[in-house]
Amino acid sequence: MGQWTSAVGAAQLARLLRSQTAGQGAPAGRRVPAYRALADGVRLLVLEGRVPVAARLPAERELAAALALSRTTVASAYEALRTEGFLESRRGAGSWTSVPAGSPLPTRGLDPLPPDAAESMIDLGCAALPAPEPWLSRAFQGALEQLPPYAHTHGDYPAGLPVLRQTLADRYTARGIPTMPEQIMVTTGAMGAVTATCHLFAGRSERVAVESPSYANVLQLMREAGARLVPVAMADGLAGWDIPAWRQVLRDAAPRMAYVMADFHNPTGALATEEQRRELVAAARSAGTVLIADETMSELRLEPDLQRPRPVSAFDPSGSTVVTVGSASKAFWAGLRIGWVRAAPDVIRSLVAARAYADLGSPVLEQLAVTWLLADGGWEAAGDIRRAQARENRDAVVAALRRHLPDWEFSVPDGGLTLWTRTGGLSGSRIAEAGERMGVRVPSGPRFGVDGAFEGFVRLPFTVGGTLAETAATRLAAAAHLVETGAPAATEDPRSLVA
């Protein structure tokens, strides 16, 4: 039996490899042999998880034809990868990707680093802030006071605690979206909500339209569910959605489902206008497409005078087109893994019925904590703390980037937690790899795209401020210099500058 579990075609691998070098010349002062550049490109794809471990690579002749290289060049690259532990081969079974012994398996997502790694690595991979105390502690104290009656029950509430469902329904109603508790299902975080809706609406091989770029973890969730992703480019800068492009995709591809983030989009920070929301809902309704509207960033308005548009669901009064996803994780704290779905009652019933084969329900104590926050005013007070912290961090990150990386381009968003940054013609994947060596961890642009898109970008979250933002920019500048020249900058090791 072969040692590979999946396969990468020659055309697909060639497309991924070409995306790494698009718009980027060779580093100044050195010429990399073609076989070495190819080996480095494959290694980088494996380390980023864009080519899975144990994936069978194309035969040397096939890849050589796809890349317009000699077979000798490809054979030399494969041999270099075998020597470095990134490729295994067996006669009759072909060659498949691997990682060197003792190295951690790469993941498609970018998991948070453990807290004890903070002294040596600045983690810009996870867009999450510390808890807004004292509100977290107060919420759980309030939850413990409300817990005894629930402790006398079985504790399984597949749709969520009735008190939390009512509270969430009341909040939607107060926002101008009349909602009954029967239209709410509580989930384990926003990812639990998206997972449930994907399983209901988008079976294997179903088309799903997604913004391009889009949230990396949701993209990977859909890939693993077998969905066929149809990317729709965002408008330039922070202009929101390109509605003509959406109309064309919905009409021509007829996707069963579409996933969008109208409020401070992750990763770009764009805010869709009311007119864009109205037109997209109308286009989705005409195409018979279910529109999943992710509102996890909607509370993170960083400019106090900014008027927040009405929710996407406001333009779907019948409730037949829009399914809304919400969460406490971004607005309050990532460790509070409570999310929810708002949809038509029949959709909620289907989601609840399917949940019996998943996680059965969300933790009772956490649901009571969220209920306490929403009902007793702590949510708004904590939100003020969160927004002030994110705004201060955003301004510090922007200022530091402009000082140390003036060639990098970005538009400063009015909300959210992320800055989508063009890296001055350099490969975002190589910036990310060099950044790890310099002591700063960032996700590269292709994690947020489909099939190698956005190689010239990285995403930077507003999770550090002050001197730490300055240090992070210094390390990123050193990483960029290493990518551009192939040599470390002639300055002090940036890892020694940790605040």
Side-chain angles (χ1 to χ4, degrees), residues 416-444:
L417 287 172
T418 57
L419 193 69
W420 186 236
T421 307
R422 190 187 298 272
T423 53
L426 301 176
S427 162
S429 298
R430 297 182 189 279
I431 292 284
E433 182 187 34
E436 294 263 0
R437 295 156 63 185
M438 296 297 163
V440 59
R441 191 167 181 250
V442 297
S444 65

Side-chain angles (χ1 to χ4, degrees), residues 10 37 79 83 90 109 126 134 137 159 184 188 193 195 204 249 259 263 287 328 350 379 439 473:
E79 181 58 34
T83 300
R90 194 175 68 200
C126 182
S137 298
I184 301 291
T188 305
T195 299
R204 185 164 293 275
V249 166
Y259 169 83
D263 299 282
S350 297
W379 185 269

Side-chain angles (χ1 to χ4, degrees), residues 22-374:
Q24 178 178 310
R30 67 176 182 138
R31 184 176 178 83
V32 179
Y35 86 89
R36 183 69 261 171
L38 176 55
D40 287 347
V42 173
R43 176 177 56 82
L44 196 57
L45 291 172
V46 172
L47 289 173
E48 284 218 320
R50 289 193 284 148
V51 169
V53 174
R56 187 179 187 274
L57 295 187
E60 294 169 2
R61 189 185 303 275
E62 295 174 1
L63 186 57
L67 291 171
L69 295 173
S70 71
R71 185 176 176 182
T72 300
T73 297
V74 176
S76 298
Y78 277 17
E79 181 58 34
L81 289 167
R82 277 189 286 270
T83 300
E84 296 162 6
F86 286 94
L87 196 68
E88 296 182 23
S89 303
R90 194 175 68 200
R91 186 178 297 276
S95 299
W96 57 92
T97 56
S98 62
V99 292
S103 299
L105 287 174
T107 62
R108 292 291 183 99
L110 200 60
D111 299 328
L113 288 174
D116 58 9
E119 292 185 4
S120 59
M121 183 74 69
I122 300 175
D123 187 6
L124 299 182
C126 182
L129 291 165
E133 288 288 31
W135 296 105
L136 177 66
S137 298
R138 290 182 184 178
F140 275 94
Q141 289 167 0
L144 285 170
E145 293 173 1
Q146 299 297 322
L147 182 62
Y150 295 95
H152 294 293
T153 72
H154 49 65
D156 286 334
Y157 296 88
L161 294 184
V163 64
L164 180 53
R165 297 176 74 195
Q166 181 68 64
T167 301
L168 291 168
D170 291 345
R171 284 183 65 83
Y172 278 108
T173 300
R175 293 172 63 190
I177 317 296
T179 304
M180 304 179 295
E182 293 79 9
Q183 291 178 261
I184 301 291
M185 182 179 83
V186 179
T187 62
T188 305
M191 288 299 288
V194 175
T195 299
T197 54
C198 283
H199 287 167
L200 181 62
F201 293 114
R204 185 164 293 275
S205 298
E206 290 275 9
R207 292 188 181 94
V208 177
V210 295
E211 297 151 328
S212 183
S214 186
Y215 179 41
N217 288 339
V218 166
L219 292 180
Q220 186 56 26
L221 182 158
M222 292 178 179
R223 289 189 189 100
E224 293 181 355
R228 297 163 61 189
L229 300 182
V230 182
V232 187
M234 296 288 288
D236 291 339
L238 299 175
W241 297 322
D242 183 338
I243 294 300
W246 270 101
R247 286 200 193 99
Q248 181 176 348
V249 166
L250 294 174
R251 181 182 62 247
D252 296 347
R256 179 71 182 91
M257 188 179 91
Y259 169 83
V260 297
M261 186 177 288
D263 299 282
F264 310 121
H265 172 259
N266 185 354
T268 68
L271 179 66
T273 66
E274 285 208 2
E275 187 60 26
Q276 288 173 336
R277 297 168 193 236
R278 179 183 292 106
E279 292 186 16
L280 183 57
V281 171
R285 185 183 300 114
S286 296
T289 299
V290 176
L291 196 60
I292 309 301
D294 187 335
E295 291 188 341
T296 53
M297 293 284 188
S298 65
E299 305 265 354
L300 292 168
R301 182 184 73 255
L302 303 187
E303 300 301 332
D305 297 332
L306 181 68
Q307 293 297 313
R308 194 169 72 173
R310 285 180 291 170
V312 176
S313 55
F315 305 98
D316 181 37
S318 68
S320 61
T321 300
V322 177
V323 174
T324 301
V325 169
S327 172
S329 298
K330 296 296 185 185
F332 187 79
W333 184 49
L336 193 58
R337 304 302 304 163
I338 296 296
W340 53 86
V341 178
R342 180 200 178 274
D346 61 317
V347 171
I348 295 298
R349 287 192 294 270
S350 297
L351 291 171
V352 171
R355 195 171 192 177
Y357 307 100
D359 62 357
L360 293 178
S362 300
V364 170
L365 188 63
E366 280 82 346
Q367 291 187 70
L368 289 173
V370 173
T371 303
W372 185 92
L373 285 166
L374 293 172

Side-chain angles (χ1 to χ4, degrees), residues 393-406:
N393 287 354
R394 178 199 62 183
D395 295 346
V397 168
V398 165
L401 286 176
R402 286 175 172 162
R403 277 191 294 272
H404 296 283
L405 289 156

